[in-house]
Amino acid sequence: MPPQLQAQKQTCPRILQGDLCTLSPHVREFVETNITLCQPDFLHICDGSDEENRVIMMHMEEQGIVKKLRKYENCWLARTDPRDVARVESRTVIVTQEQRDTVPTPLNGEPSQIGQWMSPEEFNKAVALRFPGCMKGRTMYVIPFSMGPVGSPLSKIGVELTDSPYVVASMRVMTRMGTAVLNALGTGEFVRCLHSVGCPLPLKKPLVNNWPCNPEQTLIAHIPDRRLIVSFGSGYGGNSLLGKKCFALRIASRIAKDEGWLAEHMLILGITNPAGEKKYMAAAFPSACGKTNLAMLFPTLPGWKVECVGDDIAWMKFDDQGNLRAINPENGFFGVAPGTSAKSNPNAMETIMKNTVFTNVAETSDGGVYWEGMDQSLPEEITITSWKNKPWSSKDGEPCAHPNSRFCAPASQCPIIDPQWESPEGVPIEAIIFGGRRPDGVPLVYEAFSWQHGVFVGAAMRSEATSAAEHKAKVIMHDPFAMRPFFGYNFGLYLSHWLSMADRPNAKLPKIFHVNWFRKSPTAGFLWPGFGDNIRVLDWIFRRVNGDAGAMPSAVGYLPFHGSLNLQGLQGDVDLNELFSLNKEFWQKEVEEVRKYFTTQVNKDLPSEVTRQLDLLDQRVKQM
């Protein structure tokens, strides 16, 4: 922190649990410096125990922050202030000395779409404005946590200081947390994480839903050179559970660049064919593209089995034998509730029925939860209370659950959790899948011609999303590698880092694929049934990795030979010709859009190999 902030009068909080003297010198210095800055009344060093969690949940219930859901075992509901419901990209910044270290310099001074930069000077001013005395009257919790299995060579350790008990309870689910982590850390290095809801006591104005936050002053800052994350004003998960996107992607992607590995917004699944052969795959999808559903797939093809290693983040590193090994650095699922149902994801529904913290879902009068797309009919006598804590009916014209409402559940409860999900050495990745929601033009599946072409495919990812300005019209947004909001450094350098993996001696590079479950017919809706039938695409990918499945080159990549997709038992008619058709005019526009994006947004930092791959696509499209 800036020197002038450290010179404040030292405060001595009452220690509720733990002993500062048992902390390593680096951890103790981090804690004591921020006690001086934030001035909490109490200090609690978390041990991660069941008893600690029981007491914290009980205290939150007494304060009205959470409510126990009597229908389920140890499940809780939190309702936030309606102003604090999602990640705030406009207030999320990377702090570096030079702006170009964080984002490429866009052409003609256009605003960057792939990251927000803040200077160290502006950051110091922002901290000075927000943090002095911000925890007065509150408890500072010290959360030692491990991203990845404790002791794994692929794992990293962090320490989060927070004044939010909701964060403590959620971090206990989402990370390995407590005394075991401090023991594993010893005197080693760790990522420093400071979080405050920004509501010192006594309050200056009443809370909404008993949810402390300070949205006018929200700031989520990452200082990669110092391995530091500082978050203020929001209690919502993505802004306050600093092990998630802040550490696991933004800071970790920079650490990965420095150390020669990859930190990615990817699910990891294990897939076993009817002969008992198993492979692991990683896949990157933007939001609303079925990522968790794929990670927990219930296959419709007989004899196939899918098991989940992780549904959101993958840390991947080549081992000494050249295998790309991946771990899921998280310990839980922080999933979007609306749309999750027994049809779309039966395994997720089973996972969340105990030991889960729900946020901003609706509540039923019998002590259960409800949301749009749950596809469960309720008895007539059961009433619904919306996420706004008001009686709700389907005639109200607004959703009962917030569209970004969440469940936070332990991964170990997933009925198809992979036996190797906590393997310290990670699982070997043999295929990487990119995908997006493309209603037109993009085939169901294709394979990249090479690693370099695959990196281009990831860089050129686009997906349908609701326009932030209109909230009505659907627009196709660029979302390279599904990492647009999560890059921890210059996207051009990120692409160079991915390309450099091909130069590693003995590297067994995974094959790279692109999928699109969401292509539509002009008259009949989706062309592909999706959900459990996506196993048919994974089957083809599996066989392509083995060299068994037929494919033919096209302008965009290798497409399945006619008859090489297993359609046995598929319900209804599927128009494969339409699913795999390539329209020359569409792809000419696609090349034009991608070139414009690369030129304006990545500019001089675009690697020449990516430009070459775009030119090759352009040539192939012209020859269609």
Side-chain angles (χ1 to χ4, degrees):
M1 294 301 162
Q4 69 270 22
L5 298 182
Q6 297 181 20
Q8 296 182 36
K9 181 181 176 183
Q10 176 73 43
T11 57
C12 296
R14 179 181 159 212
I15 297 179
L16 302 178
Q17 178 173 295
D19 184 352
L20 276 171
C21 295
T22 63
L23 302 178
S24 75
H26 290 315
V27 175
R28 182 170 179 173
E29 179 189 25
F30 176 55
V31 173
E32 289 180 340
T33 297
N34 287 293
I35 285 173
T36 301
L37 175 64
C38 302
Q39 300 172 34
D41 281 21
F42 307 98
L43 183 73
H44 178 122
I45 300 172
C46 297
D47 62 17
S49 66
D50 290 344
E51 176 61 17
E52 174 184 72
N53 186 62
R54 186 190 68 78
V55 171
I56 284 174
M57 299 308 299
M58 182 182 70
H59 286 167
M60 279 201 288
E61 187 176 28
E62 290 169 356
Q63 295 167 32
I65 300 171
V66 299
K67 181 177 183 180
K68 191 155 193 176
L69 295 164
R70 66 181 185 274
K71 190 173 181 179
Y72 317 117
E73 179 187 341
N74 192 34
C75 287
W76 306 81
L77 172 63
R79 295 186 178 98
T80 73
D81 186 313
R83 299 170 299 167
D84 188 25
V85 293
R87 284 184 295 103
V88 189
E89 287 184 23
S90 61
R91 307 282 189 89
T92 302
V93 300
I94 310 288
V95 180
T96 52
Q97 200 65 48
E98 301 296 329
Q99 183 169 354
R100 198 168 171 184
D101 291 338
T102 294
V103 290
T105 305
L107 190 68
N108 300 327
E110 290 194 18
S112 175
Q113 298 173 15
I114 39 183
Q116 301 262 2
W117 175 74
M118 178 179 276
S119 72
E121 293 75 21
E122 285 300 308
F123 169 70
N124 288 341
K125 288 178 187 175
V127 170
L129 178 68
R130 291 165 173 79
F131 277 90
C134 65
M135 294 187 184
K136 283 182 178 177
R138 297 192 178 276
T139 299
M140 174 187 279
Y141 297 93
V142 180
I143 308 173
F145 65 95
S146 177
M147 300 306 295
V150 178
S152 163
L154 298 177
S155 298
K156 300 289 181 184
I157 286 175
V159 176
E160 178 166 357
L161 311 180
T162 180
D163 53 7
S164 166
Y166 172 88
V167 168
V168 178
S170 301
M171 285 288 283
R172 185 174 184 268
V173 174
M174 293 307 301
T175 71
R176 287 86 173 170
M177 183 264 270
T179 304
V181 177
L182 282 178
N183 293 338
L185 174 62
T187 58
E189 281 303 312
F190 60 96
V191 172
R192 291 156 171 79
C193 307
L194 175 63
H195 168 257
S196 174
V197 293
C199 292
L201 299 174
L203 294 169
K204 294 180 180 177
K205 51 187 175 182
L207 300 178
V208 178
N209 286 333
N210 298 306
W211 182 265
C213 61
N214 189 346
E216 293 82 8
Q217 295 293 323
T218 294
L219 178 70
I220 303 96
H222 310 72
I223 307 87
D225 288 336
R226 295 164 59 189
R227 307 296 195 245
L228 172 66
I229 304 163
V230 174
S231 174
F232 185 92
S234 172
Y236 165 77
N239 304 323
S240 64
L241 312 184
L242 301 185
K244 269 203 72 65
K245 301 297 199 286
C246 295
F247 182 165
L249 289 179
R250 297 190 191 99
I251 291 294
S253 65
R254 168 63 188 276
I255 296 174
K257 173 182 173 290
D258 293 345
E259 296 181 354
W261 49 281
L262 300 167
E264 300 301 326
H265 189 206
M266 293 182 177
L267 65 89
I268 309 168
L269 59 81
I271 177 169
T272 306
N273 70 8
E277 182 185 1
K278 186 170 187 176
K279 295 186 184 300
Y280 289 94
M281 303 176 183
F285 297 93
S287 60
C289 291
K291 199 157 155 235
T292 299
N293 291 348
L294 185 63
M296 301 185 190
L297 189 77
F298 189 82
T300 56
L301 279 179
W304 284 86
K305 181 166 69 171
V306 169
E307 291 166 301
C308 177
V309 177
D311 77 327
D312 196 33
I313 297 171
W315 287 0
M316 303 184 289
K317 185 176 183 179
F318 285 101
D319 65 16
D320 293 340
Q321 287 72 48
N323 300 301
L324 186 60
R325 293 270 175 181
I327 63 166
N328 168 16
E330 298 190 298
N331 193 51
F333 303 125
F334 189 68
V336 175
T340 306
S341 69
K343 177 188 176 184
S344 68
N345 197 333
N347 291 310
M349 291 299 288
E350 187 174 336
T351 301
I352 62 180
M353 288 298 107
K354 62 181 180 180
N355 303 317
T356 296
V357 179
F358 295 92
T359 303
N360 288 339
V361 301
E363 180 188 7
T364 59
S365 54
D366 60 347
V369 293
Y370 201 75
W371 50 74
E372 279 65 32
M374 187 183 264
D375 294 337
Q376 287 183 6
S377 55
L378 297 174
E380 280 188 21
E381 67 274 12
I382 298 296
T383 58
I384 295 175
T385 302
S386 78
W387 74 278
K388 295 179 179 178
N389 204 17
K390 296 177 181 177
W392 182 89
S393 82
S394 57
K395 300 174 184 176
D396 286 358
E398 64 177 22
C400 63
H402 188 275
N404 195 44
S405 56
R406 298 280 174 159
F407 54 80
C408 180
S412 59
Q413 295 179 182
C414 178
I416 59 161
I417 198 72
D418 193 272
Q420 296 299 309
W421 86 280
E422 292 194 287
S423 168
E425 66 270 15
V427 297
I429 300 298
E430 296 188 61
I432 292 173
I433 304 168
F434 296 119
R437 181 179 284 266
R438 300 302 302 270
D440 301 306
V442 179
L444 176 64
V445 59
Y446 61 91
E447 178 190 332
F449 293 123
S450 64
W451 179 262
Q452 292 79 5
H453 180 224
V455 172
F456 164 77
V457 169
M461 277 174 62
R462 304 174 72 215
S463 188
E464 184 183 70
T466 302
S467 166
E470 302 289 339
H471 294 290
K472 293 178 183 177
K474 296 289 186 179
V475 294
I476 304 297
M477 306 281 288
H478 292 274
D479 195 350
F481 288 78
M483 281 281 286
R484 183 194 55 77
F486 309 123
F487 291 117
Y489 63 101
N490 183 307
F491 173 49
L493 300 180
Y494 170 94
L495 290 174
S496 295
H497 182 58
W498 263 80
L499 290 167
S500 74
M501 297 297 147
D503 301 326
R504 293 179 169 268
N506 307 319
K508 299 172 186 172
L509 297 171
K511 285 181 176 288
I512 297 178
F513 300 83
H514 187 281
V515 299
N516 175 30
W517 319 128
F518 302 99
R519 194 165 182 175
K520 289 182 177 178
S521 155
T523 56
F526 291 115
L527 289 165
W528 181 249
F531 301 119
D533 283 313
N534 291 337
I535 187 63
R536 303 172 189 277
V537 174
L538 296 184
D539 162 44
W540 182 78
I541 291 173
F542 190 107
R543 288 183 286 123
R544 283 297 295 166
V545 171
N546 277 349
D548 296 337
M552 54 188 174
S554 74
V556 300
Y558 292 113
L559 296 177
F561 269 144
H562 183 73
S564 63
L565 271 187
N566 184 349
L567 303 182
Q568 171 196 345
L570 185 65
Q571 301 295 312
D573 294 326
V574 171
D575 188 343
L576 289 179
N577 290 330
E578 182 64 22
L579 259 177
F580 286 100
S581 65
L582 296 175
N583 179 281
K584 183 173 182 178
E585 183 181 356
F586 172 90
W587 279 97
Q588 285 176 325
K589 289 180 181 176
E590 190 75 2
V591 168
E592 185 181 320
E593 285 293 327
V594 172
R595 193 179 297 280
K596 178 182 176 184
Y597 180 74
F598 285 169
T599 301
T600 57
Q601 286 295 312
V602 198
N603 200 359
K604 295 177 181 178
D605 292 318
L606 188 70
S608 59
E609 178 59 34
V610 176
T611 303
R612 190 178 81 88
Q613 291 295 333
L614 177 59
D615 291 341
L616 289 171
L617 173 62
D618 194 4
Q619 292 169 21
R620 294 191 297 267
V621 169
K622 285 175 180 174
Q623 294 167 5
M624 284 171 63

